[in-house]
Amino acid sequence: MPHVSLRRPAPLLSGHLRMGANGTQSDATHHHGINANSRHLTRDGSAWFPIMGEYHYSRQDPARWKTGLERMKQGGITVVSTYVFWHHHEEQHGQFRWSGKYNLRAFVELCAELGLDAVVRIGPWVHGEARNGGFPDWLQEVPINHRSDDPEYLRHVRPFFTQIAQQLKGLYSGDCASDSSAERTERTGKNTGPIVAIQVENELYDQPEHILTLKRLATSLGMTPPLWTATAWGGAQLPAGEVLPLYGGYPEAFWEDAHPGWARGSRKHYFFSNIRDDHSIGADLRSTAATDDESNDAPYPYATCELGGGMPSAYHRRPIIPAQDVAALALSKIGSGSTWQGYYMYHGGSQGMGEKSTLQESQATGYPNDLPVISYDFQAPLGEFGQIRESYHRLRLQHLLLAEVGAQLATMPMTLPSVVPAGLDDTHTVRWAVRSDGHSGFIFVNNYQPSTDALSAHDDVQFRIALDGGGLTVPSLPMAIPAGAHFIWPFNLPLGQDLTLLSATAQLITTLPTDAGICHVFSRTCGIAAEFVVQIPADDGGPHRTLCPEVPLGSGPVLIPLAEGVSVLLVDEAASLRLWKADFAGAPRIVLADSLVVSDGELLLDISTSEQLIGVFPPITQLHTAVGSLADISRAPNLGPFSMFSVSVPAAALETTLAVRLEKAADGPAPIRAGGAHQRACAPLDGDYADAARYVIAFTPEELASGPDQLLRITWTGDAARAYVHGQLISDNYWNGLPWDIDLSAHREAILRHGLSIQAFPFNPDAAIYVAESIRPRTTTLEIHDARILHRQNIQLSGG
């Protein structure tokens, strides 16, 4: 039987981190603002578990910011992280840009307006697959020692930091100096700004004194966040006590060579471990191998800023990241002790074009990899144009749980079982861990990892946990853990009315107040019958242990009454991925839908299919849309305790299939070249595209409607392709088997006049390019299979 005895954590340290406006950390008796001790973060004296998603303001049209941030918040993100790319703001020396999509202040203020915190990653070098790591070309060419305490380098950094400080004045958490602070207080209930942390530099491994210099420079210019951070992977040397080390982990690695199969360095992220560091991130940019690891006994909380929300395609390596890869990795980090979940990217974007050059990382700018010129979609939970992906739904389940119990979980140390996997290639030992305060806690299990090297099922499993007050065995009888399962089970969880959930074989999602009392919402663990063991008060005042009737597999949503005023709502995995929590029809409710957006207090149904079923709990009698809506709503048979409604939209209102005309066949595949420090395959050069195939797509005004979100989706097979409107490059794609999405709304008038031109090369099976073996063409191949416009529709809902 897998067994764990809870370990005694190292003594909690506080007051040892030099943070805040004056560079000194408050002690454990301070109950105001944001602080950090050696185990977790605190906010106003209580434990705090941030959930952070990366979203780059300068890589997206500001007209999309609000929708993007609303979707992030609806997905459970509480903190928005963003880079400040120097070359976006000062591409030409001395000419700063802070308007339009470069308006950092407006973006941070919008975060505050929507009740989101912010982390600003000011660099000055940031990487982010950007040209020169974000350095403007003019700076890159100056003969100085970049990224160091060279006085000449710092002389150039000072004006840039001064500009950032002016943009962020009055926007720090705990800072009420902003002109808009009163308005923000009214909107968010916080008399503070949204900025909770600033990160200096990025992936700087061996100059702790320079990181400290940058922190002091930023502070002297008026940047006063509660927390300072720096990336710590690769054994980075950081100034002790001056910055919080932040870690990461990706399910794949475009920065590896084009070898077949899964990137080996990513295997570690699907195990529970005391090791925080990941030496594989950015390894192709380091001149020396990393050696040091940071363990969970370090004097800092375990915080992350770059858990892979996806992965971009480099020309030479183009992995596909399934949603479960992202979700299982994130769960493994929580189970390993994370107290700050940070995703990179959570919302994709576009590199854009500069005034003088392209802005992406490339071999031509000294990097080992060629990245797309425009697209920075990243296969993120929210795509380049806000596309909602399955990973968004899977992560939302974890975030709902963290919203419910994150504060308690943050204080719970992680303990590994007595038997752990023998190494990265051990696919037979059960992977599990426990986080507990000695009495209550959570069991984490991950029986999933990417690639064809999948984990098999485990039969006859029970988990034995040695607690302060005695042992606990879960479940009551041995069961099988299916292949691919990854889950979080609570134990000794208070339910209200003096009830305690001793154990469960289902995952807590959220808690919902209803007229009938408190309802705890759980999701089934796929392939495992749901068992709830509850301790309830007996008539004589003593405890009584009750094993609720097992809920068999295959049954739909079920409401299980436990006691007067306390119940459990159990949904299956498919329903859990459609589950949203929102105030609706005058009360907090659970809504089952493909996608919901809460905007300005309204509940909007994001329609992507011509018909879907909407479920509402507690049930309502009617569901309405706004007058004049194109949706038709009818009542459907109830599904367990959910009232159900069918929402129908004409298929023609959602998508339009387009004709694609081949104007010129390709002269052949792209030239095979190798370059960069690692001699990897080079992307086709601008001049090569004269030999590419040319396709033309023409549009009528009816096919390309006015308004936002006119998304062209191209399904194709080939190598590299670019999309042009009247000679202007608007999108590019390295084929990896996924559809290519292009937003056309900003180019509508030009497209109606000139059409859209696609230039593409066939895939060359002899090229040193990695794509998944299951889809790799065996012959030279170029084909556009389908092209269609997706017309996104938001429908306002009301009910009663």
Side-chain angles (χ1 to χ4, degrees):
M1 179 185 300
H3 178 272
V4 64
S5 296
L6 300 184
R7 72 184 181 98
R8 297 300 176 189
L12 185 143
L13 302 177
S14 62
H16 62 298
L17 303 176
R18 291 176 287 280
M19 300 281 164
N22 59 4
T24 58
Q25 176 66 289
S26 55
D27 62 30
T29 63
H30 187 67
H31 297 300
H32 299 286
I34 292 170
N35 296 286
N37 57 44
S38 58
R39 293 187 198 163
H40 57 82
L41 297 133
T42 64
R43 190 166 205 160
D44 296 333
S46 299
W48 176 47
F49 197 128
I51 307 170
M52 183 168 72
E54 190 86 9
Y55 182 22
H56 297 154
Y57 63 96
S58 58
R59 282 176 162 169
Q60 192 161 70
D61 182 341
R64 292 184 176 274
W65 287 349
K66 184 177 181 182
T67 298
L69 291 171
E70 287 173 336
R71 285 187 175 136
M72 291 178 73
K73 183 176 181 180
Q74 197 70 20
I77 295 298
T78 62
V79 183
V80 178
S81 176
T82 193
Y83 278 137
V84 182
F85 293 100
W86 192 343
H87 66 334
H88 288 190
H89 295 287
E90 195 188 5
E91 187 176 5
Q92 301 190 55
H93 193 191
Q95 298 180 27
F96 285 97
R97 301 180 294 195
W98 297 101
S99 60
K101 69 177 183 178
Y102 307 113
N103 196 331
L104 170 60
R105 184 175 187 86
F107 181 79
V108 175
E109 288 186 326
L110 184 57
C111 290
E113 181 180 326
L114 297 176
L116 293 162
D117 294 314
V119 171
V120 185
R121 306 172 81 181
I122 64 173
W125 190 90
V126 296
H127 197 194
E129 288 69 65
R131 183 183 181 93
N132 308 322
F135 282 167
D137 282 0
W138 62 262
L139 178 69
Q140 188 78 358
E141 295 164 1
V142 176
I144 54 178
N145 189 5
H146 297 79
R147 304 179 69 190
S148 77
D149 279 352
D150 182 339
E152 280 301 298
Y153 172 66
L154 295 174
R155 185 174 66 84
H156 289 291
V157 171
R158 177 176 283 274
F160 177 53
F161 272 21
T162 299
Q163 290 271 328
I164 295 174
Q166 292 171 352
Q167 288 289 309
L168 302 182
K169 183 179 180 180
L171 295 181
Y172 304 98
S173 182
D175 188 342
C176 305
S178 170
D179 292 339
S180 60
S181 62
E183 298 171 352
R184 186 162 57 252
T185 300
E186 183 178 350
R187 287 193 298 263
T188 69
K190 303 174 186 175
N191 193 24
T192 66
I195 298 175
V196 297
I198 284 181
Q199 176 186 305
V200 290
E201 250 292 336
N202 196 62
E203 299 175 341
L204 189 67
Y205 300 101
D206 56 358
Q207 295 188 70
E209 70 285 349
H210 179 53
I211 289 175
L212 184 55
T213 295
L214 292 173
K215 175 185 174 183
R216 288 170 174 168
L217 174 58
T219 302
S220 72
L221 295 172
M223 299 189 213
T224 56
L227 303 173
W228 294 87
T229 70
T231 55
W233 50 78
Q237 301 172 40
L238 302 179
E242 296 285 350
V243 292
L244 288 179
L246 267 59
Y247 296 92
Y250 286 87
E252 246 283 5
F254 76 82
W255 53 85
E256 289 204 3
D257 290 332
H259 60 75
W262 188 26
R264 181 169 177 80
S266 296
R267 287 177 180 265
K268 65 174 70 71
H269 302 304
Y270 295 88
F271 293 80
F272 300 103
S273 171
N274 283 308
I275 303 302
R276 302 176 179 184
D277 201 357
D278 178 9
H279 292 170
S280 67
I281 303 178
D284 59 345
L285 297 180
R286 289 198 298 270
S287 58
T288 58
T291 56
D292 295 328
D293 281 323
E294 194 78 75
S295 76
N296 283 343
D297 287 325
Y300 307 97
Y302 181 14
T304 63
C305 64
E306 290 199 16
L307 301 180
M311 180 64 50
S313 288
Y315 182 72
H316 74 284
R317 187 170 183 86
R318 312 174 188 182
I320 295 176
I321 311 300
Q324 285 184 298
D325 291 16
V326 175
L329 185 152
L331 182 146
S332 297
K333 296 305 178 183
I334 303 173
S336 294
S338 170
T339 60
W340 180 343
Q341 290 284 94
Y343 303 98
Y344 189 102
M345 299 287 295
Y346 189 85
H347 195 311
S350 303
Q351 296 274 14
M353 296 288 288
E355 295 177 354
K356 305 180 72 174
S357 69
T358 63
L359 298 176
Q360 91 286 14
E361 169 182 323
S362 66
Q363 293 177 7
T365 56
Y367 287 83
N369 318 299
D370 277 333
L371 273 291
V373 173
I374 299 291
S375 178
Y376 198 64
D377 175 83
F378 218 89
Q379 302 177 53
L382 293 172
E384 185 173 3
F385 309 111
Q387 308 98 303
I388 297 174
R389 307 238 165 85
E390 183 186 339
S391 55
Y392 175 88
H393 300 299
R394 290 189 177 275
L395 290 178
R396 186 178 71 252
L397 281 179
Q398 297 179 21
H399 300 163
L400 284 166
L401 169 66
L402 291 176
E404 193 67 36
V405 300
Q408 300 97 293
L409 191 65
T411 66
M412 295 178 174
M414 183 273 283
T415 303
L416 292 170
S418 54
V419 177
V420 297
L424 293 182
D425 298 313
D426 185 343
T427 60
H428 303 291
T429 305
V430 178
R431 302 178 186 181
W432 70 294
V434 169
R435 291 185 68 171
S436 175
D437 58 9
H439 173 67
S440 61
F442 299 85
I443 300 169
F444 293 81
V445 176
N446 178 37
N447 198 33
Y448 175 89
Q449 70 179 17
S451 85
T452 56
D453 189 18
L455 305 181
S456 58
H458 297 280
D459 296 324
D460 299 324
V461 176
Q462 285 178 296
F463 301 103
R464 176 69 179 175
I465 307 168
L467 301 170
D468 289 345
L472 177 69
T473 301
V474 182
S476 58
L477 296 174
M479 52 79 182
I481 300 175
H486 46 286
F487 52 84
I488 307 169
W489 289 347
F491 60 86
N492 288 338
L493 178 73
L495 298 177
Q497 304 293 344
D498 295 326
L499 271 67
T500 300
L501 181 64
L502 299 180
S503 67
T505 59
Q507 181 166 316
L508 177 67
I509 301 177
T510 190
T511 297
L512 191 73
T514 71
D515 290 341
I518 297 296
C519 181
H520 302 278
V521 185
F522 280 78
S523 172
R524 293 177 175 277
T525 298
C526 186
I528 297 177
E531 173 187 280
F532 296 92
V533 181
V534 181
Q535 180 175 286
I536 61 177
D539 293 339
D540 59 5
H544 177 65
R545 184 175 183 271
T546 298
L547 176 63
C548 295
E550 185 177 276
V551 182
L553 297 174
S555 55
V558 59
L559 188 64
I560 306 170
L562 300 180
E564 185 174 355
V566 182
S567 61
V568 163
L569 172 63
L570 179 65
V571 300
D572 61 21
E573 182 182 32
S576 71
L577 296 178
R578 303 181 72 238
L579 187 147
W580 307 79
K581 185 178 181 181
D583 289 336
F584 182 59
R589 298 185 191 275
I590 297 298
V591 180
L592 302 181
D594 291 347
S595 178
L596 288 180
V597 178
V598 178
S599 180
D600 297 326
E602 295 179 351
L603 194 63
L604 304 179
L605 180 63
D606 189 352
I607 295 288
S608 58
T609 58
S610 60
E611 185 168 353
Q612 65 171 288
L613 289 174
I614 306 297
V616 182
F617 174 83
I620 58 177
T621 57
Q622 294 180 319
L623 185 68
H624 305 284
T625 64
V627 176
S629 169
L630 53 76
D632 179 60
I633 295 183
S634 59
R635 189 68 191 259
N638 285 355
L639 182 64
F642 284 88
S643 55
M644 302 298 294
F645 304 86
S646 176
V647 178
S648 301
V649 176
L654 297 177
E655 61 181 46
T656 302
T657 302
L658 302 168
V660 181
R661 177 171 60 87
L662 176 63
E663 189 175 73
K664 173 192 172 296
D667 294 341
I672 293 180
R673 303 187 186 94
H678 299 279
Q679 288 298 295
R680 291 170 178 164
C682 300
L685 304 176
D686 291 348
D688 295 332
Y689 279 88
D691 298 326
R694 287 199 299 274
Y695 298 88
V696 174
I697 307 176
F699 301 82
T700 67
E702 292 74 26
E703 291 171 334
L704 187 56
S706 60
D709 297 323
Q710 303 303 314
L711 199 66
L712 173 63
R713 176 160 294 171
I714 299 174
T715 305
W716 72 297
T717 302
D719 178 20
R722 292 180 174 182
Y724 292 88
V725 177
H726 198 43
Q728 177 188 355
L729 178 65
I730 66 168
S731 183
D732 57 338
N733 186 252
Y734 299 152
W735 174 78
N736 65 355
L738 298 175
W740 176 16
D741 288 349
I742 309 171
D743 176 43
L744 301 182
S745 56
H747 311 281
R748 181 175 185 269
E749 296 306 316
I751 290 174
L752 291 178
R753 288 195 301 269
H754 305 289
L756 183 77
S757 174
I758 304 290
Q759 297 182 3
F761 285 103
F763 188 88
N764 184 351
D766 295 328
I769 293 171
Y770 167 77
V771 295
E773 193 63 26
S774 60
I775 62 171
R776 185 180 184 87
R778 304 305 174 189
T779 60
T780 301
T781 304
L782 175 61
E783 183 178 0
I784 293 182
H785 309 287
D786 182 79
R788 60 188 59 208
I789 293 282
L790 306 182
H791 312 287
R792 182 175 287 146
Q793 302 285 348
N794 283 334
I795 298 174
Q796 182 179 342
L797 297 179
S798 59

